[in-house]
Amino acid sequence: MITNRQKNFINYFLSKSLFLGIGFSLIFEVSGNDTWLCFILGSLLGLIFCYLIKKILDYKKNKDLTTILDEMPILGKFLRLLLIIFSIIIINEILFIIQIFAKSFFLINSNTFLVILPIIILSVYVAFHGYKLLSYVSECLFPIAFFFTIVGFIALFSKVDLTNLKPFLSQTNLNLIKGTLYYFSISSIPTLLLLDLNFENNDISKNYIFVSIILTLLSIFIIGVLGQFLISIYRFPEYMLLKDIVLFNFIEKVENIISISWLIDNFILLCLATCFLKRMLPKKYNNYTFLAIIFSIFLIVCLIFGDSYIKDLYIYLYLPHLLFIIGIPFIIILFIHCIKNKKRV
């Protein structure tokens, strides 16, 4: 049985994962030194989304998500298709970001196949063993990821120059709205993957607030250390920030070790998305269909995207829009269905 504590660990990783190489750099580009404000405003929208998730989970109780979808014969098939597309997008993006990040800073001259293949195999293994194995993995990796996050904050605290946050409200209203919606999409909508789990005591909102505080503080640290110009040109500002860390006044170049926390975030989201995808596929020929999709994603990431920076930009720019277009209609339709059925009962 998966405990609520283990589910909360999974929830912790979800809201942070897509900020590596996407969330921070994209919102910095739009909102500049007002990014921290976009994070706060986006968190408020995210709490509304978490509230809808909570209500659906309260209605669902111990039912599987597929059982709820089967209550809507025609609309349920459409929603299931949306979830399959959603999980495929998440898997594709995570694999792409991991290989870009790894080949940029860790394994510079390595082949894309060799970088992606071990991660694919591990995620497929977890998917075949289900959420129970994933819960154990997340429980084991959470202390490591959180420890490195705290080390980063402590080591960089003295290097933050708050004058880099000025002038306040220097961006246009349109840019602030775009940055807010980007944060909302990237931090909140991946929590749709939690709908297939059963929460007895729902702490999704508390976890979301906790993660949002971490991300908001991190955005302030990045702006305070790197400054307004550098945050707008770096693809991985959250990694470049770590290059300024010096432990005990003599230990340098620890950014590769501390950045492991970001890779852990991505790995947990990847495993959850693969588990979710397998669960949403039709039971008939489930294993074969699942493996065929994963293999296709593997080929797409390695052969079609690979080292293409132009194609990378397409994913980078349109991911928040895709998440929003899929996530908002899905959650509204499912929420209305749950409310109607609850009234009938």
Side-chain angles (χ1 to χ4, degrees):
M1 179 180 176
I2 305 174
T3 65
N4 276 344
R5 189 180 73 159
Q6 292 170 331
K7 295 169 188 173
N8 290 331
F9 288 146
I10 296 173
N11 188 11
Y12 167 84
F13 290 113
L14 286 189
S15 297
K16 289 177 75 242
S17 299
L18 292 178
F19 280 86
L20 176 67
I22 304 174
F24 281 117
S25 57
L26 187 59
I27 300 174
F28 281 140
E29 184 179 348
V30 171
S31 305
N33 59 319
D34 288 329
T35 293
W36 61 272
L37 179 60
C38 294
F39 277 39
I40 294 173
L41 297 176
S43 299
L44 298 178
L45 292 178
L47 286 175
I48 298 174
F49 193 82
C50 289
Y51 173 79
L52 298 179
I53 294 282
K54 179 183 183 302
K55 288 299 180 182
I56 294 172
L57 288 171
D58 289 342
Y59 167 79
K60 188 172 78 73
K61 294 183 179 178
N62 293 323
K63 294 181 182 178
D64 292 332
L65 179 57
T66 52
T67 304
I68 304 297
L69 296 177
D70 289 339
E71 295 174 358
M72 302 174 281
I74 299 176
L75 197 55
K77 293 180 180 178
F78 170 72
L79 293 180
R80 187 193 285 251
L81 178 61
L82 277 183
L83 289 177
I84 291 172
I85 295 172
F86 174 73
S87 54
I88 290 174
I89 290 173
I90 293 290
I91 294 169
N92 183 79
E93 183 58 29
I94 289 294
L95 288 175
F96 191 67
I97 286 299
I98 288 177
Q99 69 98 4
I100 287 288
F101 184 64
K103 293 183 68 175
S104 298
F105 303 110
F106 295 93
L107 307 168
I108 297 174
N109 296 317
S110 298
N111 186 281
T112 303
F113 280 92
L114 298 179
V115 175
I116 296 298
L117 186 60
I119 303 169
I120 283 277
I121 292 173
L122 284 174
S123 63
V124 169
Y125 178 83
V126 172
F128 274 100
H129 286 77
Y131 294 125
K132 189 172 183 179
L133 177 59
L134 175 61
S135 67
Y136 291 139
V137 173
S138 63
E139 187 174 23
C140 292
L141 293 180
F142 172 80
I144 300 172
F146 190 67
F147 170 76
F148 283 129
T149 300
I150 296 300
V151 168
F153 276 129
I154 294 174
L156 290 167
F157 184 78
S158 62
K159 297 180 180 295
V160 176
D161 182 3
L162 294 179
T163 59
N164 286 332
L165 298 175
K166 298 178 181 180
F168 300 120
L169 300 176
S170 59
Q171 302 297 318
T172 64
N173 291 335
L174 179 60
N175 283 346
L176 289 176
I177 292 171
K178 286 174 66 176
T180 298
L181 292 177
Y182 283 165
Y183 179 86
F184 164 70
S185 296
I186 294 171
S187 67
S188 307
I189 295 181
T191 56
L192 283 177
L193 298 174
L194 295 174
L195 286 175
D196 202 33
L197 298 173
N198 300 316
F199 281 73
E200 295 175 3
N201 298 311
N202 202 315
D203 290 329
I204 289 178
S205 297
K206 293 180 182 178
N207 279 312
Y208 182 75
I209 293 172
F210 178 65
V211 172
S212 292
I213 291 172
I214 291 176
L215 291 172
T216 303
L217 287 175
L218 190 53
S219 71
I220 294 173
F221 272 57
I222 293 172
I223 299 170
V225 174
L226 297 181
Q228 298 180 37
F229 175 71
L230 292 180
I231 63 172
S232 63
I233 63 173
Y234 282 143
R235 174 61 192 276
F236 293 93
E238 61 278 11
Y239 175 84
M240 303 308 293
L241 169 75
L242 301 178
K243 286 182 173 290
D244 281 18
I245 292 179
V246 179
L247 298 177
F248 308 112
N249 295 322
F250 69 94
I251 302 177
E252 300 180 354
K253 300 186 182 301
V254 295
E255 60 271 11
N256 286 347
I257 298 174
I258 297 179
S259 63
I260 288 174
S261 62
W262 289 106
L263 294 176
I264 292 174
D265 295 342
N266 279 263
F267 177 70
I268 295 297
L269 178 57
L270 174 65
C271 291
L272 180 60
T274 52
C275 287
F276 191 84
L277 172 63
K278 191 174 187 304
R279 295 268 296 174
M280 290 301 108
L281 291 172
K283 291 184 178 179
K284 189 175 183 180
Y285 305 120
N286 180 281
N287 291 343
Y288 298 108
T289 307
F290 170 71
L291 290 175
I293 292 174
I294 294 297
F295 182 69
S296 299
I297 294 173
F298 174 68
L299 292 180
I300 289 171
V301 172
C302 293
L303 300 180
I304 297 180
F305 290 100
D307 299 320
S308 173
Y309 184 71
I310 301 300
K311 294 173 182 175
D312 170 30
L313 285 178
Y314 281 116
I315 296 179
Y316 169 74
L317 293 173
Y318 292 114
L319 179 67
H321 303 84
L322 290 174
L323 295 179
F324 192 90
I325 290 170
I326 293 175
I328 297 303
F330 174 85
I331 200 69
I332 291 174
I333 293 171
L334 192 59
F335 177 74
I336 293 172
H337 167 76
C338 293
I339 294 298
K340 284 183 177 180
N341 276 24
K342 196 171 183 179
K343 287 181 178 179
R344 289 174 188 172
V345 175

